[in-house]
Amino acid sequence: FPTRRSSDLYITAASQSAHGIPVFIGADLVHGNNTAVGAVVFPHNAGLGGTGDPALVQQATHITALEGAAAGLNWTFAPFAGVSWDSQWGRTYESFSEDPQIANKFVAAATMGLQGANGLGSGTPFLVGCSKHWAGDGQATPGTSNKGGVVDRGDIRIDEATMMSVGVGPYMGALSAGLGSIMVSDASWNGTSLTVNSHMMTDILKGTLKFPGFIATDWNAATESKNASIPAAINAGVDMLMQPS
C-alpha cells in the first residue's frame, strides 16, 4: 500500500482534475487495519457480535478508521452484513449474528465507527465504508457455489420476502447512518447473478431505499459470476468494477 503522503497526493490530484473523480484507496479492514504492522487487530465479527455490545463495536471500528487513515487508506470493504445460516459457510466467522435484527444493530454501529457517528464524513478521521455483500449473503443452498465452495457464492434460493428480511434487513441501520458504498454479491439469487440483478440494485437499493452512495462489484465478479458481463453489470446498477485481471 502507498504511504500516507503518496496517497494524499493522488487524492488531491484527482480532486483537482477536470472531472473531479475521486480516488479511493481501499483495503479489507473487516476487523482492524491488518495491512499495517503494529496496528490493532480485533476479534472477527462473530466474536465482536458475541459481546452483545454495539457500542464496543463502534469504538473498535473507530480505531480501525484512525489506523487505516494513518496508513493512507480512505475506503474499506466493511462492515460485513451477511447473516450466517449454515455452518458450512466458510465466512461464518465474518457474520455478527445469525439473527438479522441483531446483525443490523452491529452493522450500523460499525458504519458509525468507520465513517462518523453523525453520517459519512463526520468522523475525525474517517473511512468510506463499503458494506457487503448485497444481498442474502450466507443464505445460499449448499453445493451450489460457483467458485468451488460449499455455501459461499452459491445460489440463494429464497423468496423476495425472505430476502428483504434476512438479506436486506442487516443493512437498514447502516443505510440510516449514511453508508457510503455497497459491494454487490458474487452469488446468485434463484439462478441469476446478483452482480447483474437490476431489481436488487436499481429498484430496491437505489429506488425504494434511496441509497445515494455507489455500488462496487466483488473481485472479478462482472466477468466470472454466472450469467454476468461488464455491460450487464453496469446497466443493472453497478458504479465501480473490481476487475484486477
Side-chain angles (χ1 to χ4, degrees):
F1 290 100
T3 63
R4 173 65 185 271
R5 174 61 178 161
S6 64
S7 66
D8 284 349
L9 291 173
Y10 279 113
I11 292 167
T12 300
S15 69
Q16 295 173 350
S17 64
H19 297 291
I21 298 172
V23 169
F24 288 96
I25 303 173
D28 227 338
L29 312 184
V30 177
H31 61 132
N33 182 17
N34 58 8
T35 70
V37 175
V40 180
V41 176
F42 296 96
H44 232 307
N45 289 347
L48 291 173
T51 67
D53 190 350
L56 179 65
V57 170
Q58 185 172 337
Q59 182 181 7
T61 51
H62 176 60
I63 293 169
T64 300
L66 290 169
E67 297 194 337
L73 303 169
N74 62 353
W75 188 37
T76 178
F77 308 125
F80 190 89
V83 172
S84 177
W85 271 12
D86 190 322
S87 59
Q88 296 176 94
W89 187 32
R91 307 184 80 134
T92 296
Y93 62 91
E94 289 193 68
S95 178
F96 281 115
S97 176
E98 61 186 16
D99 183 316
Q101 295 181 354
I102 294 173
N104 179 44
K105 295 178 183 178
F106 281 96
V107 176
T111 300
M112 291 189 285
L114 292 168
Q115 298 190 157
N118 297 311
L120 179 62
S122 62
T124 308
F126 70 94
L127 302 178
V128 177
C130 183
S131 198
K132 60 188 184 183
H133 304 84
W134 181 267
D137 213 16
Q139 279 65 68
T141 298
T144 62
S145 174
N146 64 4
K147 292 291 180 71
V150 178
V151 175
D152 198 48
R153 295 175 172 87
D155 190 31
I156 303 163
R157 297 172 180 172
I158 58 178
D159 60 22
E160 185 159 332
T162 306
M163 174 63 89
M164 292 301 294
S165 172
V166 182
V168 172
Y171 289 86
M172 298 307 294
L175 295 175
S176 296
L179 180 66
S181 64
I182 281 178
M183 184 185 297
V184 66
S185 178
D186 190 11
S188 59
W189 180 29
N190 294 324
T192 301
S193 169
L194 282 160
T195 302
V196 296
N197 191 305
S198 61
H199 182 54
M200 285 303 301
M201 288 187 283
T202 297
D203 297 344
I204 294 176
L205 183 56
K206 294 182 178 182
T208 302
L209 300 178
K210 295 179 170 55
F211 177 57
F214 66 93
I215 299 175
T217 69
D218 206 337
W219 186 270
N220 282 330
T223 52
E224 294 182 1
S225 286
K226 184 179 180 181
N227 306 319
S229 69
I230 288 174
I234 292 171
N235 288 334
V238 164
D239 302 296
M240 178 185 287
L241 298 160
M242 195 193 309
Q243 290 293 132
S245 59

